[in-house]
Amino acid sequence: MGKPRVIYWFRTDLRLHDSPALKAALDLDPGVLWPIFTWDPHYVYRVKGGVNRWQYLLDCQTDLSESIRKLNSKSKLFVLREAPQTLLPKLFKAWNVTHLVFEKDTDAYARDRDNVVIELARKAGVQVITRYGRTLWDSDEVVAKNGGKPTMSITQLQAAGGKVGEIPRPIPTPKYLPDPGDMPIDFKQDKPNTEPDLNAPCRNETDRTYSHIAGPKGDFAIATLKELGFAEPATTPHRGGETTALKKLEEIFADEEYAATFQKPKTSPAAFEPQSTTLLSPMLHFGALSPRLFYWRAQDLAEKYGEGASKPPESLTGQLLFRDMYFAAQAAIGSPFAQTLNNAYCRFIPWHLPSKVNATDVGNNAISGEYHVDSPQAEKWFLRWKAGVTGFPFVDALMRQLCAEGWIHHLGRHMVACFLTRGGCYVHWERGADVFEEWLIDHEPACNAGNWQWLSCTAFYSQYYRCYSPIAFGQKWDKKGEFIRKWVPELKRLDEKFIYEPWKATQAALDEAGVKIEGDGLHEKRDGTYPAPMFDFGERRSACIAAMKRAYSIGLHGDDDRVRNGTWKELFEKAGETEMEGSGGSDESEKHMDGINHQGKEGRGSGKRVGSQTAEIKEGPMDRYAKKLKRLT
């Protein structure tokens, strides 16, 4: 019997160092080893991703391929263009494969996909070997030690992790990789269904991802942005790859005081060039950096540093524990984790702009990016938030940085998430999560959903009365407004006295800065203008806190039958709630703030509102859903 013929399937582990799955493959002493990556149509078409994240992924693939070639000049990362569910069975046969090895994944879709692949391998007589490596502990083992329940706090994660055992030390990078065998592809390529393509709005070239199974030249090369349908280059200055990740890690730990005493809440969201944090999160997402290597470098330094070292949850190790907490929560809850509906651990809040839902094999799920416009005003607020034209400069600067670079500081994410949900707009957290999914280069499904639930106070955190001020929070870190001047250049010459509240500026100050406060920033935007604030923050904060208090007292969660059938609304109406889904209101507040008097005492961002706003209760989508159910029964 000959030596094993092994496919090593790279996914979100684009590195050679500390790879338990790769070690398992090499421990087989294979005669041939094919390092492959397959373009899964689910991620190409069904998951939102802007050009910045695509470029970062391609960077990681390119770097990995070069590292593989350095170990064996005959090998590289062989990239194939077909869904793994249809491709792998054909490879098993054509390449005479004996083993398939890959790193475990706990994302909901990936679990289902991998189960299908494992069964197909079993039928083909191919042995499958998996190892965990995306997290500090195996998420499934953490869930088991937590009584089968999701980890909803750092304390629960640490307790369950402690029962699993010590976090393993990183293992060495291999010094050699076996030759790849012959790679015939004389079989029919199964083309994917490209609809719906959630990334179609971002593509400005013809999508040729699946034109050739081995790429345009038939050499299994790394794809290009153009092949994926993106003509415009990435705008992020951040680049990916294991080589870069390890270099950054060395730079961080070369400054022992910074790394040992790191406290996340004390780092500035307004810092740039350089930023105040490590910016290693996208490396962790794509697996270009091992979380265990990062953890043990930080932990060993903390022990060496002694009493002055920071501790979890603020420390560097604490940030990795938060990541594991969200991964284990997702592993326990499954696909409902990324939404409110059917999520037993997510509080039901009747936010504006609720997601549309669709029946699937695993129950009703929110449709990515699709939502009901129950309130034209809330829709306008959401669009202004996304475009970075809310009229609150610190919020706008953060959103513009996110769009351009694919990254903002963690506390900046806190600020804009609170503002969109419970701290101003009362828009569904799933809308914000959709935008982050598209724009973040470090988008991690578990962390994105978990952080939005935390900041909207629907899970993990419940102090809804603590809101970030779009004015005071930025001033805490950057009194002169340098961060705003960089990202909101319309205001770069404005006196620092008004940089966070330009609507308070005198006409003379505005004239000197060469800016007018007018419009909403979305329509007929003219040079030299900046929009008026879209609402009175003080009043909106009070309205949101009152609404959250009523929602908490009613106490529904996403798996409640009343949430599913729409009768939740009766409870909220009985409680006198008007700030909720289906309560569209009017545009009086918007009209007033757009027509602000810059020199008067009324209409300022923290002042009294001129005129009144009436809340007209409208039939919302949940009402229509309930009627549909009644017709069917």
Side-chain angles (χ1 to χ4, degrees), residues 377 381 384 390-392 419-420 423-426 470 503 532-541 544 589-590 593-594 603-606 609 613:
Q377 180 174 268
W381 289 347
R384 288 184 64 175
T390 65
F392 293 94
F419 183 86
L420 182 68
C425 303
Y426 217 67
W503 60 88
M534 60 190 195
F535 48 59
D536 181 308
F537 172 68
E539 291 190 6
R540 286 301 305 163
R541 175 175 55 187
C544 289
S589 175
E590 184 80 29
M593 296 308 290
D594 284 351
R604 295 184 174 181
S606 58
R609 184 186 312 174
Q613 180 179 353

PDB file of all heavy atoms in Angstrom, residues 377 381 384 390-392 419-420 423-426 470 503 532-541 544 589-590 593-594 603-606 609 613:
ATOM      1  N   GLN A 377     -38.612  58.234   8.054  1.00  0.00           N
ATOM      2  CA  GLN A 377     -37.653  59.029   8.797  1.00  0.00           C
ATOM      3  C   GLN A 377     -36.491  58.174   9.273  1.00  0.00           C
ATOM      4  O   GLN A 377     -35.321  58.562   9.150  1.00  0.00           O
ATOM      5  CB  GLN A 377     -38.335  59.692  10.002  1.00  0.00           C
ATOM      6  CG  GLN A 377     -37.400  60.550  10.840  1.00  0.00           C
ATOM      7  CD  GLN A 377     -38.133  61.302  11.924  1.00  0.00           C
ATOM      8  OE1 GLN A 377     -38.560  62.431  11.740  1.00  0.00           O
ATOM      9  NE2 GLN A 377     -38.296  60.648  13.064  1.00  0.00           N
ATOM     10  N   TRP A 381     -32.507  58.439   8.363  1.00  0.00           N
ATOM     11  CA  TRP A 381     -31.448  58.469   9.369  1.00  0.00           C
ATOM     12  C   TRP A 381     -30.414  57.376   9.110  1.00  0.00           C
ATOM     13  O   TRP A 381     -29.211  57.602   9.215  1.00  0.00           O
ATOM     14  CB  TRP A 381     -32.043  58.292  10.763  1.00  0.00           C
ATOM     15  CG  TRP A 381     -32.821  59.483  11.251  1.00  0.00           C
ATOM     16  CD1 TRP A 381     -32.841  60.734  10.708  1.00  0.00           C
ATOM     17  CD2 TRP A 381     -33.677  59.523  12.391  1.00  0.00           C
ATOM     18  NE1 TRP A 381     -33.666  61.555  11.448  1.00  0.00           N
ATOM     19  CE2 TRP A 381     -34.193  60.850  12.480  1.00  0.00           C
ATOM     20  CE3 TRP A 381     -34.077  58.590  13.341  1.00  0.00           C
ATOM     21  CZ2 TRP A 381     -35.069  61.233  13.485  1.00  0.00           C
ATOM     22  CZ3 TRP A 381     -34.948  58.968  14.355  1.00  0.00           C
ATOM     23  CH2 TRP A 381     -35.443  60.278  14.421  1.00  0.00           C
ATOM     24  N   ARG A 384     -28.235  58.284   6.132  1.00  0.00           N
ATOM     25  CA  ARG A 384     -27.296  59.349   6.483  1.00  0.00           C
ATOM     26  C   ARG A 384     -26.181  58.808   7.379  1.00  0.00           C
ATOM     27  O   ARG A 384     -25.013  59.193   7.237  1.00  0.00           O
ATOM     28  CB  ARG A 384     -28.032  60.511   7.170  1.00  0.00           C
ATOM     29  CG  ARG A 384     -28.901  61.315   6.224  1.00  0.00           C
ATOM     30  CD  ARG A 384     -29.554  62.517   6.913  1.00  0.00           C
ATOM     31  NE  ARG A 384     -28.569  63.497   7.369  1.00  0.00           N
ATOM     32  CZ  ARG A 384     -28.886  64.668   7.916  1.00  0.00           C
ATOM     33  NH1 ARG A 384     -30.171  65.001   8.081  1.00  0.00           N
ATOM     34  NH2 ARG A 384     -27.942  65.507   8.312  1.00  0.00           N
ATOM     35  N   THR A 390     -24.439  62.481   9.060  1.00  0.00           N
ATOM     36  CA  THR A 390     -25.464  62.630  10.099  1.00  0.00           C
ATOM     37  C   THR A 390     -25.555  64.063  10.605  1.00  0.00           C
ATOM     38  O   THR A 390     -26.538  64.437  11.240  1.00  0.00           O
ATOM     39  CB  THR A 390     -25.158  61.733  11.308  1.00  0.00           C
ATOM     40  OG1 THR A 390     -23.940  62.177  11.932  1.00  0.00           O
ATOM     41  CG2 THR A 390     -25.029  60.274  10.895  1.00  0.00           C
ATOM     42  N   GLY A 391     -24.507  64.856  10.360  1.00  0.00           N
ATOM     43  CA  GLY A 391     -24.458  66.200  10.939  1.00  0.00           C
ATOM     44  C   GLY A 391     -23.757  66.220  12.281  1.00  0.00           C
ATOM     45  O   GLY A 391     -23.565  67.281  12.871  1.00  0.00           O
ATOM     46  N   PHE A 392     -23.355  65.028  12.773  1.00  0.00           N
ATOM     47  CA  PHE A 392     -22.551  64.914  13.988  1.00  0.00           C
ATOM     48  C   PHE A 392     -21.141  64.516  13.531  1.00  0.00           C
ATOM     49  O   PHE A 392     -20.907  63.363  13.143  1.00  0.00           O
ATOM     50  CB  PHE A 392     -23.138  63.872  14.940  1.00  0.00           C
ATOM     51  CG  PHE A 392     -24.472  64.265  15.513  1.00  0.00           C
ATOM     52  CD1 PHE A 392     -25.652  63.842  14.905  1.00  0.00           C
ATOM     53  CD2 PHE A 392     -24.560  65.050  16.646  1.00  0.00           C
ATOM     54  CE1 PHE A 392     -26.889  64.201  15.413  1.00  0.00           C
ATOM     55  CE2 PHE A 392     -25.796  65.419  17.169  1.00  0.00           C
ATOM     56  CZ  PHE A 392     -26.968  64.997  16.551  1.00  0.00           C
ATOM     57  N   PHE A 419     -25.175  54.845  18.535  1.00  0.00           N
ATOM     58  CA  PHE A 419     -25.877  55.953  17.892  1.00  0.00           C
ATOM     59  C   PHE A 419     -26.982  55.445  16.967  1.00  0.00           C
ATOM     60  O   PHE A 419     -28.093  55.993  16.947  1.00  0.00           O
ATOM     61  CB  PHE A 419     -24.870  56.791  17.099  1.00  0.00           C
ATOM     62  CG  PHE A 419     -25.429  58.011  16.446  1.00  0.00           C
ATOM     63  CD1 PHE A 419     -25.539  59.204  17.139  1.00  0.00           C
ATOM     64  CD2 PHE A 419     -25.846  57.981  15.120  1.00  0.00           C
ATOM     65  CE1 PHE A 419     -26.055  60.340  16.528  1.00  0.00           C
ATOM     66  CE2 PHE A 419     -26.365  59.111  14.504  1.00  0.00           C
ATOM     67  CZ  PHE A 419     -26.467  60.303  15.210  1.00  0.00           C
ATOM     68  N   LEU A 420     -26.714  54.398  16.209  1.00  0.00           N
ATOM     69  CA  LEU A 420     -27.707  53.880  15.264  1.00  0.00           C
ATOM     70  C   LEU A 420     -28.858  53.188  15.964  1.00  0.00           C
ATOM     71  O   LEU A 420     -29.994  53.234  15.492  1.00  0.00           O
ATOM     72  CB  LEU A 420     -27.054  52.904  14.281  1.00  0.00           C
ATOM     73  CG  LEU A 420     -27.982  52.327  13.210  1.00  0.00           C
ATOM     74  CD1 LEU A 420     -28.425  53.415  12.227  1.00  0.00           C
ATOM     75  CD2 LEU A 420     -27.320  51.170  12.466  1.00  0.00           C
ATOM     76  N   GLY A 423     -29.091  54.671  21.013  1.00  0.00           N
ATOM     77  CA  GLY A 423     -28.606  55.984  21.412  1.00  0.00           C
ATOM     78  C   GLY A 423     -28.975  57.093  20.469  1.00  0.00           C
ATOM     79  O   GLY A 423     -28.324  58.138  20.459  1.00  0.00           O
ATOM     80  N   GLY A 424     -30.040  56.902  19.656  1.00  0.00           N
ATOM     81  CA  GLY A 424     -30.430  57.971  18.753  1.00  0.00           C
ATOM     82  C   GLY A 424     -31.462  57.562  17.723  1.00  0.00           C
ATOM     83  O   GLY A 424     -32.602  58.030  17.742  1.00  0.00           O
ATOM     84  N   CYS A 425     -31.076  56.666  16.804  1.00  0.00           N
ATOM     85  CA  CYS A 425     -31.941  56.378  15.654  1.00  0.00           C
ATOM     86  C   CYS A 425     -33.000  55.315  15.925  1.00  0.00           C
ATOM     87  O   CYS A 425     -34.027  55.277  15.240  1.00  0.00           O
ATOM     88  CB  CYS A 425     -31.090  55.933  14.458  1.00  0.00           C
ATOM     89  SG  CYS A 425     -29.837  57.121  13.957  1.00  0.00           S
ATOM     90  N   TYR A 426     -32.765  54.447  16.877  1.00  0.00           N
ATOM     91  CA  TYR A 426     -33.644  53.315  17.179  1.00  0.00           C
ATOM     92  C   TYR A 426     -33.881  52.446  15.936  1.00  0.00           C
ATOM     93  O   TYR A 426     -34.971  51.960  15.674  1.00  0.00           O
ATOM     94  CB  TYR A 426     -34.991  53.791  17.748  1.00  0.00           C
ATOM     95  CG  TYR A 426     -35.530  52.869  18.834  1.00  0.00           C
ATOM     96  CD1 TYR A 426     -34.868  52.761  20.046  1.00  0.00           C
ATOM     97  CD2 TYR A 426     -36.690  52.134  18.654  1.00  0.00           C
ATOM     98  CE1 TYR A 426     -35.351  51.931  21.053  1.00  0.00           C
ATOM     99  CE2 TYR A 426     -37.184  51.298  19.654  1.00  0.00           C
ATOM    100  CZ  TYR A 426     -36.509  51.208  20.849  1.00  0.00           C
ATOM    101  OH  TYR A 426     -36.991  50.379  21.844  1.00  0.00           O
ATOM    102  N   PRO A 470     -22.276  61.651  20.875  1.00  0.00           N
ATOM    103  CA  PRO A 470     -21.502  61.912  19.650  1.00  0.00           C
ATOM    104  C   PRO A 470     -20.647  63.171  19.750  1.00  0.00           C
ATOM    105  O   PRO A 470     -19.852  63.451  18.856  1.00  0.00           O
ATOM    106  CB  PRO A 470     -22.587  62.066  18.585  1.00  0.00           C
ATOM    107  CG  PRO A 470     -23.796  62.507  19.328  1.00  0.00           C
ATOM    108  CD  PRO A 470     -23.717  61.829  20.665  1.00  0.00           C
ATOM    109  N   TRP A 503     -23.135  73.270  14.196  1.00  0.00           N
ATOM    110  CA  TRP A 503     -24.400  74.012  14.158  1.00  0.00           C
ATOM    111  C   TRP A 503     -24.441  75.145  15.187  1.00  0.00           C
ATOM    112  O   TRP A 503     -25.293  76.028  15.120  1.00  0.00           O
ATOM    113  CB  TRP A 503     -25.584  73.060  14.382  1.00  0.00           C
ATOM    114  CG  TRP A 503     -25.537  72.330  15.706  1.00  0.00           C
ATOM    115  CD1 TRP A 503     -26.032  72.750  16.900  1.00  0.00           C
ATOM    116  CD2 TRP A 503     -24.953  71.056  15.953  1.00  0.00           C
ATOM    117  NE1 TRP A 503     -25.800  71.827  17.883  1.00  0.00           N
ATOM    118  CE2 TRP A 503     -25.143  70.768  17.330  1.00  0.00           C
ATOM    119  CE3 TRP A 503     -24.294  70.117  15.161  1.00  0.00           C
ATOM    120  CZ2 TRP A 503     -24.682  69.575  17.916  1.00  0.00           C
ATOM    121  CZ3 TRP A 503     -23.848  68.940  15.737  1.00  0.00           C
ATOM    122  CH2 TRP A 503     -24.038  68.675  17.089  1.00  0.00           C
ATOM    123  N   ALA A 532     -26.816  69.745   8.438  1.00  0.00           N
ATOM    124  CA  ALA A 532     -27.298  70.007   9.783  1.00  0.00           C
ATOM    125  C   ALA A 532     -27.479  68.684  10.516  1.00  0.00           C
ATOM    126  O   ALA A 532     -27.675  67.642   9.890  1.00  0.00           O
ATOM    127  CB  ALA A 532     -28.632  70.752   9.717  1.00  0.00           C
ATOM    128  N   PRO A 533     -27.401  68.684  11.850  1.00  0.00           N
ATOM    129  CA  PRO A 533     -27.621  67.437  12.598  1.00  0.00           C
ATOM    130  C   PRO A 533     -29.021  66.912  12.335  1.00  0.00           C
ATOM    131  O   PRO A 533     -29.973  67.676  12.245  1.00  0.00           O
ATOM    132  CB  PRO A 533     -27.428  67.851  14.057  1.00  0.00           C
ATOM    133  CG  PRO A 533     -27.618  69.322  14.080  1.00  0.00           C
ATOM    134  CD  PRO A 533     -27.151  69.824  12.750  1.00  0.00           C
ATOM    135  N   MET A 534     -29.138  65.604  12.192  1.00  0.00           N
ATOM    136  CA  MET A 534     -30.407  65.041  11.739  1.00  0.00           C
ATOM    137  C   MET A 534     -31.453  64.928  12.836  1.00  0.00           C
ATOM    138  O   MET A 534     -32.613  64.644  12.555  1.00  0.00           O
ATOM    139  CB  MET A 534     -30.189  63.690  11.056  1.00  0.00           C
ATOM    140  CG  MET A 534     -29.572  62.615  11.884  1.00  0.00           C
ATOM    141  SD  MET A 534     -29.150  61.210  10.810  1.00  0.00           S
ATOM    142  CE  MET A 534     -28.871  59.932  12.044  1.00  0.00           C
ATOM    143  N   PHE A 535     -31.049  65.152  14.074  1.00  0.00           N
ATOM    144  CA  PHE A 535     -32.035  65.238  15.157  1.00  0.00           C
ATOM    145  C   PHE A 535     -31.385  65.881  16.368  1.00  0.00           C
ATOM    146  O   PHE A 535     -30.166  66.102  16.412  1.00  0.00           O
ATOM    147  CB  PHE A 535     -32.632  63.873  15.513  1.00  0.00           C
ATOM    148  CG  PHE A 535     -31.646  62.752  15.715  1.00  0.00           C
ATOM    149  CD1 PHE A 535     -30.649  62.810  16.676  1.00  0.00           C
ATOM    150  CD2 PHE A 535     -31.724  61.589  14.937  1.00  0.00           C
ATOM    151  CE1 PHE A 535     -29.756  61.773  16.869  1.00  0.00           C
ATOM    152  CE2 PHE A 535     -30.831  60.549  15.114  1.00  0.00           C
ATOM    153  CZ  PHE A 535     -29.842  60.635  16.078  1.00  0.00           C
ATOM    154  N   ASP A 536     -32.195  66.166  17.354  1.00  0.00           N
ATOM    155  CA  ASP A 536     -31.727  66.657  18.641  1.00  0.00           C
ATOM    156  C   ASP A 536     -31.281  65.435  19.441  1.00  0.00           C
ATOM    157  O   ASP A 536     -32.094  64.614  19.839  1.00  0.00           O
ATOM    158  CB  ASP A 536     -32.874  67.387  19.343  1.00  0.00           C
ATOM    159  CG  ASP A 536     -32.472  67.963  20.697  1.00  0.00           C
ATOM    160  OD1 ASP A 536     -31.928  67.201  21.525  1.00  0.00           O
ATOM    161  OD2 ASP A 536     -32.709  69.156  20.921  1.00  0.00           O
ATOM    162  N   PHE A 537     -29.978  65.302  19.660  1.00  0.00           N
ATOM    163  CA  PHE A 537     -29.460  64.093  20.298  1.00  0.00           C
ATOM    164  C   PHE A 537     -30.016  63.905  21.703  1.00  0.00           C
ATOM    165  O   PHE A 537     -30.368  62.789  22.104  1.00  0.00           O
ATOM    166  CB  PHE A 537     -27.926  64.124  20.353  1.00  0.00           C
ATOM    167  CG  PHE A 537     -27.354  63.005  21.176  1.00  0.00           C
ATOM    168  CD1 PHE A 537     -27.441  61.688  20.747  1.00  0.00           C
ATOM    169  CD2 PHE A 537     -26.752  63.265  22.409  1.00  0.00           C
ATOM    170  CE1 PHE A 537     -26.937  60.647  21.504  1.00  0.00           C
ATOM    171  CE2 PHE A 537     -26.247  62.228  23.181  1.00  0.00           C
ATOM    172  CZ  PHE A 537     -26.335  60.921  22.727  1.00  0.00           C
ATOM    173  N   GLY A 538     -30.098  64.975  22.477  1.00  0.00           N
ATOM    174  CA  GLY A 538     -30.611  64.855  23.838  1.00  0.00           C
ATOM    175  C   GLY A 538     -32.021  64.294  23.871  1.00  0.00           C
ATOM    176  O   GLY A 538     -32.337  63.405  24.672  1.00  0.00           O
ATOM    177  N   GLU A 539     -32.887  64.793  22.993  1.00  0.00           N
ATOM    178  CA  GLU A 539     -34.267  64.305  22.956  1.00  0.00           C
ATOM    179  C   GLU A 539     -34.338  62.869  22.450  1.00  0.00           C
ATOM    180  O   GLU A 539     -35.093  62.045  22.973  1.00  0.00           O
ATOM    181  CB  GLU A 539     -35.120  65.230  22.084  1.00  0.00           C
ATOM    182  CG  GLU A 539     -35.338  66.593  22.700  1.00  0.00           C
ATOM    183  CD  GLU A 539     -36.383  67.406  21.944  1.00  0.00           C
ATOM    184  OE1 GLU A 539     -36.996  66.846  21.016  1.00  0.00           O
ATOM    185  OE2 GLU A 539     -36.579  68.572  22.298  1.00  0.00           O
ATOM    186  N   ARG A 540     -33.553  62.565  21.419  1.00  0.00           N
ATOM    187  CA  ARG A 540     -33.575  61.206  20.878  1.00  0.00           C
ATOM    188  C   ARG A 540     -33.023  60.203  21.891  1.00  0.00           C
ATOM    189  O   ARG A 540     -33.532  59.093  22.022  1.00  0.00           O
ATOM    190  CB  ARG A 540     -32.775  61.132  19.583  1.00  0.00           C
ATOM    191  CG  ARG A 540     -33.462  61.771  18.402  1.00  0.00           C
ATOM    192  CD  ARG A 540     -34.814  61.134  18.119  1.00  0.00           C
ATOM    193  NE  ARG A 540     -34.702  59.686  17.936  1.00  0.00           N
ATOM    194  CZ  ARG A 540     -35.727  58.850  18.010  1.00  0.00           C
ATOM    195  NH1 ARG A 540     -36.939  59.302  18.297  1.00  0.00           N
ATOM    196  NH2 ARG A 540     -35.551  57.568  17.819  1.00  0.00           N
ATOM    197  N   ARG A 541     -31.991  60.574  22.602  1.00  0.00           N
ATOM    198  CA  ARG A 541     -31.451  59.680  23.628  1.00  0.00           C
ATOM    199  C   ARG A 541     -32.511  59.386  24.686  1.00  0.00           C
ATOM    200  O   ARG A 541     -32.704  58.232  25.080  1.00  0.00           O
ATOM    201  CB  ARG A 541     -30.216  60.306  24.277  1.00  0.00           C
ATOM    202  CG  ARG A 541     -29.653  59.479  25.441  1.00  0.00           C
ATOM    203  CD  ARG A 541     -28.369  60.081  25.976  1.00  0.00           C
ATOM    204  NE  ARG A 541     -28.545  61.474  26.361  1.00  0.00           N
ATOM    205  CZ  ARG A 541     -27.551  62.284  26.728  1.00  0.00           C
ATOM    206  NH1 ARG A 541     -26.303  61.833  26.705  1.00  0.00           N
ATOM    207  NH2 ARG A 541     -27.786  63.527  27.070  1.00  0.00           N
ATOM    208  N   CYS A 544     -35.162  57.044  23.249  1.00  0.00           N
ATOM    209  CA  CYS A 544     -34.664  55.672  23.098  1.00  0.00           C
ATOM    210  C   CYS A 544     -34.557  54.973  24.443  1.00  0.00           C
ATOM    211  O   CYS A 544     -34.919  53.786  24.575  1.00  0.00           O
ATOM    212  CB  CYS A 544     -33.302  55.681  22.406  1.00  0.00           C
ATOM    213  SG  CYS A 544     -33.357  56.129  20.660  1.00  0.00           S
ATOM    214  N   SER A 589     -39.316  66.748  12.694  1.00  0.00           N
ATOM    215  CA  SER A 589     -38.025  66.959  13.340  1.00  0.00           C
ATOM    216  C   SER A 589     -36.938  67.121  12.299  1.00  0.00           C
ATOM    217  O   SER A 589     -36.072  67.979  12.398  1.00  0.00           O
ATOM    218  CB  SER A 589     -37.700  65.783  14.268  1.00  0.00           C
ATOM    219  OG  SER A 589     -36.411  65.918  14.806  1.00  0.00           O
ATOM    220  N   GLU A 590     -36.976  66.267  11.260  1.00  0.00           N
ATOM    221  CA  GLU A 590     -35.969  66.331  10.195  1.00  0.00           C
ATOM    222  C   GLU A 590     -36.031  67.679   9.487  1.00  0.00           C
ATOM    223  O   GLU A 590     -35.020  68.300   9.229  1.00  0.00           O
ATOM    224  CB  GLU A 590     -36.220  65.191   9.200  1.00  0.00           C
ATOM    225  CG  GLU A 590     -35.195  65.080   8.109  1.00  0.00           C
ATOM    226  CD  GLU A 590     -33.936  64.373   8.578  1.00  0.00           C
ATOM    227  OE1 GLU A 590     -34.032  63.536   9.474  1.00  0.00           O
ATOM    228  OE2 GLU A 590     -32.867  64.694   8.034  1.00  0.00           O
ATOM    229  N   MET A 593     -34.568  70.428  11.740  1.00  0.00           N
ATOM    230  CA  MET A 593     -33.122  70.418  11.902  1.00  0.00           C
ATOM    231  C   MET A 593     -32.413  70.793  10.604  1.00  0.00           C
ATOM    232  O   MET A 593     -31.328  71.359  10.625  1.00  0.00           O
ATOM    233  CB  MET A 593     -32.657  69.045  12.390  1.00  0.00           C
ATOM    234  CG  MET A 593     -33.183  68.673  13.774  1.00  0.00           C
ATOM    235  SD  MET A 593     -32.879  69.943  15.023  1.00  0.00           S
ATOM    236  CE  MET A 593     -31.107  69.814  15.199  1.00  0.00           C
ATOM    237  N   ASP A 594     -33.029  70.469   9.453  1.00  0.00           N
ATOM    238  CA  ASP A 594     -32.430  70.864   8.192  1.00  0.00           C
ATOM    239  C   ASP A 594     -32.503  72.374   7.995  1.00  0.00           C
ATOM    240  O   ASP A 594     -31.679  72.959   7.312  1.00  0.00           O
ATOM    241  CB  ASP A 594     -33.140  70.172   7.013  1.00  0.00           C
ATOM    242  CG  ASP A 594     -32.738  68.719   6.908  1.00  0.00           C
ATOM    243  OD1 ASP A 594     -31.797  68.333   7.623  1.00  0.00           O
ATOM    244  OD2 ASP A 594     -33.366  67.990   6.127  1.00  0.00           O
ATOM    245  N   GLY A 603     -33.130  75.154  18.255  1.00  0.00           N
ATOM    246  CA  GLY A 603     -32.798  74.210  17.200  1.00  0.00           C
ATOM    247  C   GLY A 603     -31.385  73.682  17.227  1.00  0.00           C
ATOM    248  O   GLY A 603     -30.947  73.079  16.273  1.00  0.00           O
ATOM    249  N   ARG A 604     -30.639  73.927  18.285  1.00  0.00           N
ATOM    250  CA  ARG A 604     -29.295  73.393  18.335  1.00  0.00           C
ATOM    251  C   ARG A 604     -29.328  71.932  18.732  1.00  0.00           C
ATOM    252  O   ARG A 604     -30.306  71.427  19.238  1.00  0.00           O
ATOM    253  CB  ARG A 604     -28.447  74.195  19.325  1.00  0.00           C
ATOM    254  CG  ARG A 604     -28.257  75.636  18.845  1.00  0.00           C
ATOM    255  CD  ARG A 604     -27.348  76.415  19.768  1.00  0.00           C
ATOM    256  NE  ARG A 604     -27.086  77.739  19.211  1.00  0.00           N
ATOM    257  CZ  ARG A 604     -26.304  78.630  19.802  1.00  0.00           C
ATOM    258  NH1 ARG A 604     -25.726  78.343  20.938  1.00  0.00           N
ATOM    259  NH2 ARG A 604     -26.111  79.802  19.239  1.00  0.00           N
ATOM    260  N   GLY A 605     -28.179  71.245  18.501  1.00  0.00           N
ATOM    261  CA  GLY A 605     -28.140  69.798  18.715  1.00  0.00           C
ATOM    262  C   GLY A 605     -28.497  69.381  20.119  1.00  0.00           C
ATOM    263  O   GLY A 605     -28.889  68.246  20.354  1.00  0.00           O
ATOM    264  N   SER A 606     -28.344  70.254  21.089  1.00  0.00           N
ATOM    265  CA  SER A 606     -28.710  69.885  22.453  1.00  0.00           C
ATOM    266  C   SER A 606     -29.820  70.773  22.998  1.00  0.00           C
ATOM    267  O   SER A 606     -30.078  70.811  24.182  1.00  0.00           O
ATOM    268  CB  SER A 606     -27.474  70.007  23.368  1.00  0.00           C
ATOM    269  OG  SER A 606     -26.963  71.327  23.317  1.00  0.00           O
ATOM    270  N   ARG A 609     -36.723  71.526  20.665  1.00  0.00           N
ATOM    271  CA  ARG A 609     -37.230  71.380  19.304  1.00  0.00           C
ATOM    272  C   ARG A 609     -38.320  72.408  19.024  1.00  0.00           C
ATOM    273  O   ARG A 609     -39.167  72.660  19.856  1.00  0.00           O
ATOM    274  CB  ARG A 609     -37.790  69.968  19.112  1.00  0.00           C
ATOM    275  CG  ARG A 609     -38.253  69.694  17.702  1.00  0.00           C
ATOM    276  CD  ARG A 609     -38.925  68.349  17.590  1.00  0.00           C
ATOM    277  NE  ARG A 609     -38.152  67.315  18.227  1.00  0.00           N
ATOM    278  CZ  ARG A 609     -38.596  66.071  18.370  1.00  0.00           C
ATOM    279  NH1 ARG A 609     -39.777  65.740  17.921  1.00  0.00           N
ATOM    280  NH2 ARG A 609     -37.860  65.170  18.963  1.00  0.00           N
ATOM    281  N   GLN A 613     -43.736  66.693  16.877  1.00  0.00           N
ATOM    282  CA  GLN A 613     -43.690  65.493  16.054  1.00  0.00           C
ATOM    283  C   GLN A 613     -44.832  64.587  16.473  1.00  0.00           C
ATOM    284  O   GLN A 613     -44.970  64.239  17.631  1.00  0.00           O
ATOM    285  CB  GLN A 613     -42.350  64.776  16.217  1.00  0.00           C
ATOM    286  CG  GLN A 613     -42.259  63.515  15.386  1.00  0.00           C
ATOM    287  CD  GLN A 613     -40.909  62.846  15.563  1.00  0.00           C
ATOM    288  OE1 GLN A 613     -40.031  63.396  16.193  1.00  0.00           O
ATOM    289  NE2 GLN A 613     -40.755  61.672  15.004  1.00  0.00           N
TER     290      GLN A 613
END
